[in-house]
Every structure is written in structure tokens, then in C-alpha cells.
Amino acid sequence: MDQGKTPRPGFFRCLQNVVGCAIVLGLFAVCSLQIAGAQSSPVHIRFDADSRVFRIDAANTTYVLGINENQQVQTLYWGRQLAEGDHFSAAKAMPEAASFDLSVNTTPQEFVGWGGGLYVEPDLKITFPNGNRDLVLKYLSHKIEGDQLSITMKDISLDVYVTLQYKADGETGILRRSAEIENRTDAPFTIEQVFAGTWNLPRGTDYRLRYLTGRWAGENTVQEQPVHPGKTVLESRRGTTGAQNNPWFAIDRIGNNDAEDGNVWFGALGWSGSWKITVEQDQLQQVRVSGGPNSFDFDYRLQKGEHFQTPYFYGGYSSDGIGGASRLLHRFEIDSLVPHAPHPALRPVLYNSWEATGFDVNEAGQLALAEKAASIGVERFVMDDGWFGQRKDDRAGLGDWYVNPQKFPHGLKPLIDKVHSLGMDFGLWVEPEMVNPDSDLYRKHPDWVLNFPDRPRTEGRHQLVLNLARPDVRAYVFQFLDKLLNENDIAFFKWDYNRNWSEPGWPAVASEDEKKVYVDFTRNYYSILEELREKHPKVEIESCSGGGSRVDLGVLRYVDEFWTSDNTDAFDRLLIQNGFTYAYSPGVMMAWVTDSPTWVNNRTLSLPYRFLSSMQGSLGIGANLNKWTTEDFATAKQMIAQYKAIRETVQRGSLYRLITPEHDSEQSVTESVARDGHQAVVFAFLHSSMEGYPYPRLYLRGLDAHARYRITAMDGKPANGTPAEASGAYWMEHGLDVQLRGDFQAAAFTLERQ
């Protein structure tokens, strides 16, 4: 993924060896090629040579684009799958609305350069050496190969080529878009803004935008607002994804409050650096959504013969409401994105030592915790911060990745061997992209951090950010991680990242290339992950960034799970996890059971409540087991066993939000249904009873109406009179009554198909 140069295999892999579709004019009006083995693939991409219209059909979605009389690539349709016999007339550029709004602005284009009178958000803006900044792209050619379409465009006079790339997923209908910019001119030019492309929605004035906002310990808050004339910008300028906005959006119709019905257009940007998504309703009510690397403080000089490959921008459509949109994304992520897809391993039950020991780790203490963790059924033991260098607190040691000889005089092997003997695998916390000024690495290489010469170096958490864009820094980070894996039987890295960028300078390169740091840092981050996984295919990795500050579809191609939030208060997590699952699968959402009361709110919650909250995702234990009672261990052992019986359904099944915790709801209810339908799991939570009202009746979803299901309580009780077994129709139409009264109560049930 070497942007601006020949890309490495991986995230920024260009479409190569693409076989063209031969259009035989006069003999065939339509050229249609399907993916090899068409009987097993539902993706169809066709090109009508007469109308010059492309049609992409995948799952329940149809996407149509065409080449209009101005040689612009124009969106014609995106929505529910159309009939096979439905055809589109040739694309027609929209007329100008006035001398102030030329046709280039009113026509819904797939990808447009800044030039020719454009005023809406451009997908590409370039400055040329002579000062020219005008770029007008026209259709040149196209290729179709199975489930992939590429369309090449060129400037009207300059040798600037842009290839639009589309790949359709046959199971979900999700379309992956990207663009490759190529410089065939005789001189370098500077890219000042570049997006993967633009999604155009049908013209309308009644759209609602959903997106996710947050902060440290308060991630994934679902926001809703009408799409107004003008522009809404979702972005991060922090060097990485950030918790303040997440690069995901969903758009439906105002007034549609049924989570399981209605048209929803949704998308997510696969990029872990600074990013931007703009949602723009123009003066003629056309809605456009564009996304890519953030243009703030950014430019990228492209030399003659070089290519720039954008990140992927994923988009999908659901007619089953926001719930259906989430389930499509979940399925796509698990089956197509995560490492080892479409058959990734289930997430093991994990124990992490941080809350028990903090920085004060040593061999004896970790051995004792490992024995306690194994006794309750934990499958992975993870030692957190404090094991390396001169690490006694957060002020020193980052960058010095050798095992501390005072804490572990015999290295990590005795601990790892003990963990293995207890039936668990071993994981380790690392923070590879950071350095403390109080470290041997910084004293040796102070030039390795992001910095502006002769300016202060702002510290966050007493640390600075290594400039991973530098080849020597990239090599150092890979080498020490590779060494750890070569010398120790490590199954898992918790890869942390605990501050955002400041002073993003790169004084080792020419001044006109310094702003490449935003892209080259991220591409080197991906390449390290990719190379580690190629060399150590069994290692698993968690993306962690002070909680959920690096969660996106870009890094999900290289990691197995996300740390959702440092806030592990089980009640707060209902809201945080709810927002997370709008965009990301519960199968990649880590959720820990920690001590009560938590540091966040000083709120006391029962151990069963804390377990049930965490069992809605990938279960981990982070509590200080040294303080647990005999009863705590017994409860934990029972609930972990219960989780193992349902985790495939929770991690891989279809999620229904029966009651969301949004808008200060007193209740929160989720239901997960196994892919084969044999099991459903219901989690119900109550904040506080009010005036003696009973808990709302729960109307289940996703069951086979004609099958019989037997209900079993994992924790809590169904209401008196609830049948032990009933039809799917009964549970969905009559519903389930639950006995929940009091404050901070929870219950969970399984339904097994008979």
C-alpha cells in the first residue's frame, strides 16, 4: 500500500490483470460478464453499449451509472434490486439551474475534479507546476471482470488519469469504491484533496442523517439530524480515526421510526488516518456523500509515473430499516473483511491483568492471576502495560521493547509456559507507535518523532508520536514486534495508541513532501500489520486507542477485534455498545467485566448484571481477581460457561435492537439470532422501575414463525404463565413478558428451535 508509488499487496492493492469486456458493436447491444463460477455468485455487472449504462446487481441491491453526453460518469439509481427486464435510457446531464449553477454542479457525478465551474465538493483537486488548478475529467474506457468494474477517466488536455474502481459483494450488496490517480504528465503535481468517490442519493428534502460521535470514555453516541441544504462535515484531523466522529453514516427518511422497515443508504470509510466525509444537499435538493483522507493540512506531491490509490469507501442499501443496514454491515465485516474471513475464529474469553496490577507487573503476580483466570474458564490470558523497559508508570519506557529483567528475571517463557499448562494462550500489551522522552530510544533518536524544528514538542500522557512514515521507524517497529513473536509463543497483541498527533512535521524530507505524513504514516501502519500477519499467521491483534479511537473498516482488514471503550461501567456500556453495533459487528466488539464500583461513575452493579452487559459482545474479564470472593468465582464460572454456549450466536448471528438505550430509555433489549436459526438469545436490562409499571412486553424478531422454540432463562425469570415452548409466531406476535423490577436489573434467555 505504497501510495504515490507502486503499491504493495494489501489494503491499497490496485486492480491489476483486469480482463476487458469486448463490446462487439452491431452484433451485441449488451455486454454482460459475470464472475467466474457464476452459478455460485449472485453478482452481475452489465454494460449496455447503446445507452452506455452500467448496471450492478448484488444481493437485494441495484446500482446504475452511465456516461452522459458530456462524457461525465453519472449516477442513475441506487436502491432496491430492480427487475431483470428494467432498462435505463442513456444518462443525460442535468441542465444548468442558472448562470450561477452550471450543469457540472447539478449533475450527480460519481467522481468529479475541481474545475469547469464546479462549486460542490470535488472528489479531486490538483495544483499543477504552472499554477493551473483546473481539472475536468471525462470518460475514456472501462473494464469488467466478474464482480469488479473499473472506469478510466482523463483530463480534457492534461495526462491525468483517474480509474474508478467498484467491487460488489454478492451476499450483502455492499459496494466497495476507490479511485486511482495517475500522473502521466512530464512534471510532478500536488493533490490537495482526494476522495474515494461520491454516493448520490435520490433527490429529496425529507432525509435524516445518522452518525456517531463521542470522546474518551464516551464513544459511539448515535446522533440524528435532518439533512439540510448546505453541508455537514464528519471528520478527524487528529492523525488517526478518532472517537469524536466515526467514519460511518446512514441516511433514511424523516419520520421512519421502525428500526426494521424503510429505505436506508449507509456507508463507511476504510481509513485509519485523518479522514473526512461530507454530506451535502445542493441548491436543487440533490444529496451527495463524499469521503476520503482529510484535506486539512494535506497535500500529496505525485511524481511523473506515480499512482495514488485512495482508501476504500463502502456503501450499501437496505429496505429493512437501520436494523437491516447494521446486519448487512455485520455480515460483510465477518465474511469479507476480517482476517481469515469468511471463517474467522470465534473470539475467545479473555482475561486482562491491567485492573489487578496496573504497571506493577511481575512474574509471581501474573502467575497467580493466570491460575485464577483459568479456574473460571478463561481461554486467553493477556498481560497489560508495565512488562518492558524501565516502565514503572506512564512517564518512562515506551519505545524500549525489551523484557524488564527485574520483573521477569527469566524472560517471559516461564509465565507463558504456565499459561499454556493451564489451557490458555498468551497475549501481550504493546504501544508500538509511541515513545516516552524518558527512554533509551528517544535519547538515541529524538528525530524519530513527529515534530517541527525549533518548536515545542507537545506531550500527551507523557509521550510523543513516532513518525511511522519514516522508513527507519517503520523498520524498527516491525523488527521489535517480529522479535517478540519469534522469541515467545505469543498468540495475541493488544495494540494500543494513547494520544493524537501534534506538530505533524517530517523535517527529514523536502518541505513540499512533508504533508505526505498523513497518508504515509497510515500506509506504513497497515503494512506492518500485514507483514506481521503474513509471517505469523496465527497471531491475533486487537486495535485499541485509549478506548475506541481507532475503529474503522480500514484497520479491520488487519485486526481481529476492537477495544470499544476504556469506560467499562456495565450500564454506560449499554449505550456505548449500542452505538458501536450500528456500524460494527458484536463479533469484533470487546466487552469486559470489571470491578464495581467503577472509576467512571462510582456506580455499584451486581456481577451478573456486569456479565450480561458484556456477553452482548466478545466477552473479556478485566476485574481484579485477587479481590473476588468464592461466590464471585462460582458466578463467573457459570456465566462464562453459559456464554460459550451462545457466543457463536452473539458474535456471528443477526442482531435486533428490540429496545435501544438511546434517548434516556429506562430499558435496553437486544436479541441475537443464529445464522442457521437454531438459537436466539435475548438480553434485557432495566435502569429503574417507575410507579409500579411492568417491564415492556418484548416482541422478538427473526424467528421461523412455523418452528417451535423452547425458552430457558440464563438469568432472571419470564413472567408467570409464559409457556416453556411456543411457535416462532407466538414469540414474535404475542411476545415475551419479563419479570424485572428495581434498579439496575438484568435478565437473559435463550430460545432453542425444537
Side-chain angles (χ1 to χ4, degrees):
M1 8 164 257
D2 195 1
Q3 284 183 282
K5 302 178 182 177
T6 303
R8 294 188 183 96
F11 177 78
F12 287 115
R13 190 191 313 272
C14 294
L15 293 176
Q16 297 175 346
N17 302 320
V18 180
V19 179
C21 171
I23 305 171
V24 186
L25 297 176
L27 294 178
F28 299 97
V30 176
C31 171
S32 174
L33 282 182
Q34 301 174 15
I35 191 169
Q39 291 183 348
S40 62
S41 173
V43 174
H44 301 260
I45 301 178
R46 287 165 284 184
F47 177 70
D48 188 308
D50 288 341
S51 62
R52 301 205 299 172
V53 168
F54 300 92
R55 173 169 168 169
I56 303 173
D57 288 288
N60 296 316
T61 301
T62 296
Y63 194 89
V64 184
L65 56 156
I67 306 156
N68 64 29
E69 69 276 20
N70 295 329
Q71 305 304 307
Q72 298 161 334
V73 183
Q74 179 177 340
T75 309
L76 298 177
Y77 177 81
W78 182 26
R80 191 192 300 246
Q81 188 172 44
L82 302 176
E84 181 72 19
D86 292 332
H87 296 287
F88 283 77
S89 300
K92 296 290 185 184
M94 299 292 291
E96 64 181 44
S99 61
F100 296 97
D101 295 305
L102 305 178
S103 175
V104 68
N105 298 284
T106 60
T107 300
Q109 297 186 58
E110 291 279 297
F111 192 98
V112 60
W114 187 72
L118 185 78
Y119 304 115
V120 296
E121 191 76 32
D123 295 290
L124 180 61
K125 184 177 185 295
I126 292 175
T127 292
F128 296 93
N130 63 358
N132 170 49
R133 301 187 302 282
D134 186 67
L135 182 70
V136 179
L137 298 170
K138 301 290 187 181
Y139 166 83
L140 185 65
S141 63
H142 72 271
K143 295 178 182 179
I144 299 173
E145 186 183 41
D147 60 355
Q148 299 184 70
L149 164 67
S150 61
I151 299 174
T152 299
M153 306 173 73
K154 180 188 176 298
D155 180 70
I156 53 175
S157 62
L158 299 169
D159 286 333
V160 178
Y161 291 78
V162 176
T163 300
L164 311 184
Q165 301 157 342
Y166 303 79
K167 179 178 172 61
D169 180 65
E171 296 301 316
T172 63
I174 289 174
L175 199 61
R176 187 190 79 189
R177 294 185 55 183
S178 57
E180 180 191 56
I181 294 84
E182 181 181 1
N183 180 4
R184 298 189 197 172
T185 71
D186 291 329
F189 58 68
T190 299
I191 299 172
E192 296 180 350
Q193 176 162 304
V194 59
F195 286 156
T198 293
W199 302 101
N200 293 289
L201 275 66
R203 184 178 296 112
T205 59
D206 61 343
Y207 285 118
R208 170 177 54 184
L209 170 67
R210 282 187 175 96
Y211 57 100
L212 299 174
T213 64
R215 57 173 175 80
W216 177 74
E219 298 89 338
N220 303 318
T221 300
V222 182
Q223 304 291 349
E224 299 179 6
Q225 67 181 49
V227 176
H228 294 295
K231 186 186 302 180
T232 296
V233 177
L234 311 176
E235 67 173 354
S236 169
R237 299 182 177 186
R238 295 169 178 261
T240 53
T241 317
Q244 290 66 32
N245 278 185
N246 187 271
W248 166 88
F249 73 91
I251 297 175
D252 64 356
R253 304 286 187 177
I254 293 173
N256 180 15
N257 294 318
D258 187 341
E260 301 300 325
D261 184 60
N263 298 323
V264 180
W265 294 265
F266 60 92
L269 187 64
W271 184 239
S272 306
S274 293
W275 60 272
K276 181 167 72 171
I277 293 175
T278 65
V279 182
E280 184 175 16
Q281 185 179 59
D282 67 20
Q283 59 277 11
L284 295 183
Q285 302 171 352
Q286 177 71 47
V287 176
R288 305 158 37 87
V289 184
S290 305
N294 202 318
S295 58
F296 175 78
D297 194 43
F298 167 83
D299 56 39
Y300 204 100
R301 187 168 65 150
L302 208 61
Q303 299 287 346
K304 177 183 177 180
E306 289 185 337
H307 302 247
F308 183 102
Q309 181 73 33
T310 73
Y312 296 140
F313 199 10
Y314 301 90
Y317 164 82
S318 171
S319 59
D320 296 322
I322 191 67
S326 295
R327 289 189 292 275
L328 288 175
L329 265 173
H330 298 170
R331 178 65 61 92
F332 178 69
E333 290 158 6
I334 295 299
D335 289 359
S336 300
L337 279 189
V338 298
H340 307 299
H343 303 295
L346 293 172
R347 298 291 81 223
V349 178
L350 173 154
Y351 179 77
N352 183 286
S353 66
W354 173 251
E355 288 203 3
T357 60
F359 296 102
D360 188 21
V361 299
N362 56 59
E363 184 177 304
Q366 296 297 300
L367 289 171
L369 285 170
E371 290 179 346
K372 293 180 174 68
S375 73
I376 57 176
V378 165
E379 298 159 313
R380 170 169 291 164
F381 182 86
V382 181
M383 181 165 62
D384 210 278
D385 200 350
W387 59 269
F388 56 91
Q390 298 304 307
R391 188 74 162 171
K392 299 177 181 178
D393 52 34
D394 62 5
R395 295 176 179 271
L398 278 177
D400 300 338
W401 296 102
Y402 60 87
V403 179
N404 183 289
Q406 286 76 43
K407 297 180 179 183
F408 298 92
H410 307 291
L412 297 179
K413 190 176 188 302
L415 173 60
I416 294 174
D417 288 347
K418 178 64 174 180
V419 167
H420 289 166
S421 73
L422 293 168
M424 301 180 291
D425 66 29
F426 180 78
L428 199 61
W429 180 95
V430 292
E431 192 171 4
E433 299 146 279
M434 300 291 168
V435 64
N436 289 120
D438 185 3
S439 67
D440 294 339
L441 180 68
Y442 186 76
R443 284 184 283 270
K444 184 177 180 180
H445 295 291
D447 55 325
W448 276 14
V449 301
L450 296 172
N451 74 93
F452 293 131
D454 304 318
R455 300 294 298 174
R457 299 184 178 190
T458 303
E459 295 181 22
R461 199 177 181 246
H462 312 293
Q463 61 196 52
L464 300 169
V465 182
L466 289 171
N467 183 359
L468 205 60
R470 291 177 58 120
D472 48 4
V473 174
R474 191 262 182 215
Y476 172 78
V477 170
F478 174 79
Q479 287 165 7
F480 82 69
L481 292 169
D482 182 51
K483 186 173 186 287
L484 280 170
L485 293 173
N486 285 330
E487 296 179 353
N488 303 279
D489 191 353
I490 296 171
F492 173 82
F493 277 144
K494 183 179 178 70
W495 184 309
D496 212 342
Y497 185 98
N498 277 309
R499 62 156 296 181
N500 296 131
W501 288 19
S502 58
E503 298 86 45
W506 187 0
V509 300
S511 59
E512 56 266 34
D513 288 327
E514 281 202 58
K515 294 180 183 179
K516 286 184 175 183
V517 67
Y518 290 100
V519 167
D520 289 0
F521 183 108
T522 304
R523 73 148 189 255
N524 275 356
Y525 166 61
Y526 288 156
S527 73
I528 291 171
L529 291 169
E530 183 175 40
E531 190 173 354
L532 280 175
R533 301 202 73 111
E534 288 175 353
K535 190 170 181 182
H536 307 277
K538 294 183 179 180
V539 71
E540 296 186 341
I541 301 171
E542 176 181 288
S543 174
C544 175
S545 179
S549 290
R550 188 148 65 182
V551 176
D552 59 79
L553 295 191
V555 70
L556 187 56
R557 294 169 60 86
Y558 305 104
V559 301
D560 303 271
E561 62 193 41
F562 292 120
W563 179 231
T564 315
S565 177
D566 282 352
N567 182 350
T568 57
D569 178 279
F571 176 73
D572 282 0
R573 283 297 285 259
L574 298 179
L575 193 63
I576 293 170
Q577 293 172 180
N578 170 77
F580 181 98
T581 62
Y582 273 75
Y584 305 101
S585 167
V588 299
M589 179 179 72
M590 286 306 301
W592 285 6
V593 177
T594 58
D595 288 324
S596 181
T598 62
W599 58 269
V600 186
N601 303 308
N602 201 34
R603 177 188 290 125
T604 300
L605 298 169
S606 71
L607 188 57
Y609 185 103
R610 285 176 272 152
F611 260 99
L612 293 180
S613 175
S614 296
M615 287 164 67
Q616 295 174 99
S618 297
L619 179 63
I621 317 297
N624 185 353
L625 301 183
N626 295 323
K627 295 183 178 180
W628 273 18
T629 66
T630 302
E631 291 76 16
D632 290 336
F633 279 100
T635 298
K637 185 174 183 178
Q638 176 186 359
M639 302 200 80
I640 288 173
Q642 290 175 336
Y643 178 74
K644 291 176 180 178
I646 64 169
R647 71 170 145 191
E648 184 169 3
T649 298
V650 170
Q651 294 181 19
R652 300 287 184 266
S654 297
L655 175 67
Y656 296 86
R657 301 179 196 87
L658 303 186
I659 303 177
T660 77
E662 300 164 43
H663 312 299
D664 297 320
S665 172
E666 292 289 334
Q667 303 89 23
S668 176
V669 184
T670 64
E671 177 195 5
S672 297
V673 181
R675 288 197 180 190
D676 65 3
H678 82 281
Q679 183 184 69
V681 184
V682 179
F683 295 96
F685 301 87
L686 172 66
H687 179 277
S688 300
S689 296
M690 297 291 290
E691 298 178 337
Y693 287 107
Y695 198 81
R697 178 169 289 182
L698 307 180
Y699 298 93
L700 306 191
R701 300 272 194 167
L703 305 180
D704 180 348
H706 304 290
R708 307 286 295 179
Y709 293 85
R710 176 170 292 275
I711 189 169
T712 302
M714 289 194 295
D715 198 88
K717 296 180 180 179
N720 293 332
T722 299
E725 181 182 314
S727 69
Y730 178 93
W731 300 117
M732 293 189 291
E733 304 302 330
H734 174 276
L736 168 65
D737 287 320
V738 180
Q739 294 185 38
L740 281 180
R741 298 182 65 187
D743 298 330
F744 299 112
Q745 299 296 309
F749 306 89
T750 60
L751 291 94
E752 302 284 347
R753 188 172 60 195
Q754 302 302 296

